Amino acid sequence: MKTICLYFEIHQIINLKRYRFFDISTDHYYYDDYENERTIDDIAERSYMPALNTIEQMIRDGGGYFKVAFSLSGVGMEQLEMHAPEVIEKLQTLNDTGCVEFLAEPYSHGLSSLANEAAFAADVRKQSAKIEQYFGKKPTVLRNSSLIYSDDIGIQVAALGFKGMLTEGAKHVLGWKSPHYVYSSASAPKLKLLLRDIELSDDISLRFNNTEWERYPLFADDYVDRIARLPEEEQVINIFMELSALGVAQPLSSNILEFLRAIPVCARQRGIIFSTPSEIISKMKSISAINVPYPMSWVDEERDISSWLGNAMQREAFNKLYSVADRVRIANDPKINQDWDYLQASNNFRFMTTKPSNVGLDRGIYSSPFDAFTNYMNVLGDFMNRVKSLYPEEIDNEELNSLLTTIKNQGDEITMKEKEIVRLQAKVEKLKTANGKLKAQLDKASEKKTVAKKASGK
């Protein structure tokens, strides 16, 4: 029986403000708060809330038939917490239906999986903890930033304990193979992979409202018929996209939500079901392993990482940022950690791309890739100065780790001693109370004895 795995990503860009060379060492706040609030309010109103309300109604109407998966970046959740808490509340309502799965992904929506294993592990664990905090369940399936995957990343993800991972059904990797099966990682055989159907996904997220597209207008029954006509043995159809595709990339005036609402109705008529990623991974076996020696993603025609690391500016910024990854992780300073999350976000590097793209790229305040590079490097220069001033550069990572471990151990020892003091103080108080009771009993007994003596003397 064919099953549709429908997944939406929610991530929100943290906009950097205009930061000049002369701001270095004088201004340690890097963000455009007005633009961040404006953009999250706008996208919540135009996309997130209408789309989530529609999905909720689809779940209610389906009576457990319709299912969907989401992943939320940690930095995106922070923006929602501050400016659009109603989105998180709606997601919690959806979670209560039992028809929604929340996936793990890097907290920063960054590229740590390409640079530093320890930083990637910390990034994923931090986001998983936040998902568990809000939705009550620890994720078992991971979706890397922009579906980036390689054999090396597969090893890292399996080592973190995940059972499965979402990635791209890139033609240069699959060749003649179909994305409509469950595969496994060649480097970590127990890690199952769900591959995005590029055409079916992009027909909704990129082409739906394009009047020059040969399939325009796209109707739900035709769309589901294409799925139903797939060979019988091709049973897993993975349709992955950003949630903002519903309302932003494809405006509400295009009837995109009416189209979405009709898909389960048409699918049910054709005997097609919906499943979450973990359900598919637990029930279906892998048909074979796929080898991905070089990272792939869901971005641009090449489906690789050149959108973020394709030119010298991007690679210089990337390498400089991750040169302090170990020190940031070891130091574990709260304010440094927050800036680290925001500076890792992949959009910072995407703004520097010089590649032509079939997807429109809004560079925001930047007039060119070089402008984006210059602004980011100014911010990064100040950030690195703060990291170095916090713990001097002459102390290498190993020595710093040893020093901080000693400080932590001393702190733990002090904490234990403080607890022991509290315990002993409680014991002393208990002994004092017992001693007081005993003294009272002895005094009472002595008083009785005195009375008895006086009585016998009479």
Side-chain angles (χ1 to χ4, degrees), residues 9 109 143-148 168 296-299 308 346:
E9 174 214 2
H109 195 77
R143 175 260 188 212
N144 198 9
S145 307
S146 300
L147 297 187
I148 294 173
E168 181 75 334
M296 65 177 175
S297 77
W298 71 356
V299 175
W308 305 281
S346 62

Side-chain angles (χ1 to χ4, degrees), residues 406-421:
T406 300
I407 293 171
K408 182 180 182 300
N409 290 341
Q410 289 175 343
D412 291 343
E413 186 177 348
I414 291 170
T415 300
M416 288 178 63
K417 288 181 177 179
E418 287 175 345
K419 289 180 179 178
E420 181 66 13
I421 289 171

Side-chain angles (χ1 to χ4, degrees), residues 368-427:
S368 67
F370 181 74
D371 186 28
F373 170 74
T374 301
N375 200 69
Y376 183 80
M377 293 302 282
N378 287 341
V379 170
L380 188 56
D382 184 78
F383 175 76
M384 294 183 71
N385 287 343
R386 288 166 56 210
V387 174
K388 292 172 184 177
S389 66
L390 190 61
Y391 297 103
E393 194 171 16
E394 53 268 21
I395 303 177
D396 61 28
N397 288 342
E398 186 175 347
E399 186 179 354
L400 176 59
N401 194 21
S402 176
L403 176 62
L404 292 178
T405 299
T406 300
I407 293 171
K408 182 180 182 300
N409 290 341
Q410 289 175 343
D412 291 343
E413 186 177 348
I414 291 170
T415 300
M416 288 178 63
K417 288 181 177 179
E418 287 175 345
K419 289 180 179 178
E420 181 66 13
I421 289 171
V422 171
R423 189 185 69 81
L424 291 173
Q425 286 176 337
K427 191 173 182 179

Side-chain angles (χ1 to χ4, degrees), residues 172-354:
H172 71 273
V173 170
L174 283 176
W176 57 268
K177 296 178 182 178
S178 166
H180 304 141
Y181 296 93
V182 176
Y183 292 90
S184 61
S185 168
S187 56
K190 291 185 178 180
L191 182 71
K192 293 181 179 179
L193 303 175
L194 300 182
L195 309 184
R196 185 176 85 115
D197 184 304
I198 297 173
E199 183 177 354
L200 288 171
S201 300
D202 288 353
D203 280 356
I204 298 175
S205 63
L206 299 182
R207 293 183 281 269
F208 183 81
N209 195 43
N210 182 1
T211 56
E212 297 180 0
W213 178 40
E214 59 184 10
R215 284 203 174 100
Y216 180 87
L218 181 62
F219 294 104
D221 55 350
D222 293 335
Y223 185 81
V224 174
D225 277 342
R226 285 163 57 196
I227 296 173
R229 289 195 300 268
L230 291 169
E232 184 179 351
E233 62 274 14
E234 297 187 17
Q235 295 186 0
V236 183
I237 295 85
N238 301 307
I239 301 173
F240 305 159
M241 68 192 77
E242 297 175 348
L243 185 62
S244 61
L246 310 178
V248 177
Q250 309 304 321
L252 298 181
S253 60
S254 69
N255 294 322
I256 184 67
L257 295 183
E258 288 72 15
F259 169 83
L260 181 70
R261 189 182 291 113
I263 288 178
V265 177
C266 297
R268 201 167 201 169
Q269 293 171 351
R270 291 158 179 78
I272 301 170
I273 64 171
F274 287 80
S275 302
T276 62
S278 62
E279 287 177 337
I280 294 172
I281 286 166
S282 65
K283 294 176 182 178
M284 305 184 84
K285 294 182 179 180
S286 163
I287 64 160
S288 69
I290 58 169
N291 292 279
V292 188
Y294 304 105
M296 65 177 175
S297 77
W298 71 356
V299 175
D300 291 342
E301 291 297 326
E302 296 85 355
R303 312 291 172 183
D304 59 13
I305 57 172
S306 57
S307 292
W308 305 281
L309 300 176
N311 63 45
M313 292 185 297
Q314 292 170 310
R315 292 190 292 273
E316 181 180 348
F318 176 82
N319 292 332
K320 188 170 184 180
L321 173 68
Y322 283 101
S323 70
V324 296
D326 290 331
R327 295 182 76 82
V328 170
R329 178 177 51 82
I330 293 167
N332 197 28
D333 177 82
K335 188 62 181 78
I336 291 291
N337 287 346
Q338 184 181 57
D339 291 334
W340 171 249
D341 289 335
Y342 295 168
L343 293 179
Q344 281 190 89
S346 62
N347 56 278
N348 292 308
F349 304 97
R350 185 80 193 277
F351 291 150
M352 304 174 199
T353 187
T354 51

Side-chain angles (χ1 to χ4, degrees), residues 57 77 81 85 108 112 114 128 157 203 226 229 266-267 336 357-358 361 380 389 398 453:
Q57 191 59 52
M77 291 184 75
E81 288 168 342
S108 66
S112 54
L114 303 172
S128 294
V157 172
D203 280 356
R226 285 163 57 196
R229 289 195 300 268
C266 297
I336 291 291
S357 175
N358 63 338
L361 175 61
L380 188 56
S389 66
E398 186 175 347
K453 282 183 178 179

Side-chain angles (χ1 to χ4, degrees), residues 100-133:
V100 174
E101 178 177 5
F102 291 92
L103 310 183
E105 72 163 70
Y107 190 95
S108 66
H109 195 77
L111 307 174
S112 54
S113 62
L114 303 172
N116 187 293
E117 289 188 22
F120 177 64
D123 216 5
V124 170
R125 289 190 182 111
K126 184 175 180 179
Q127 188 267 359
S128 294
K130 200 171 186 72
I131 291 294
E132 187 174 12
Q133 173 192 344

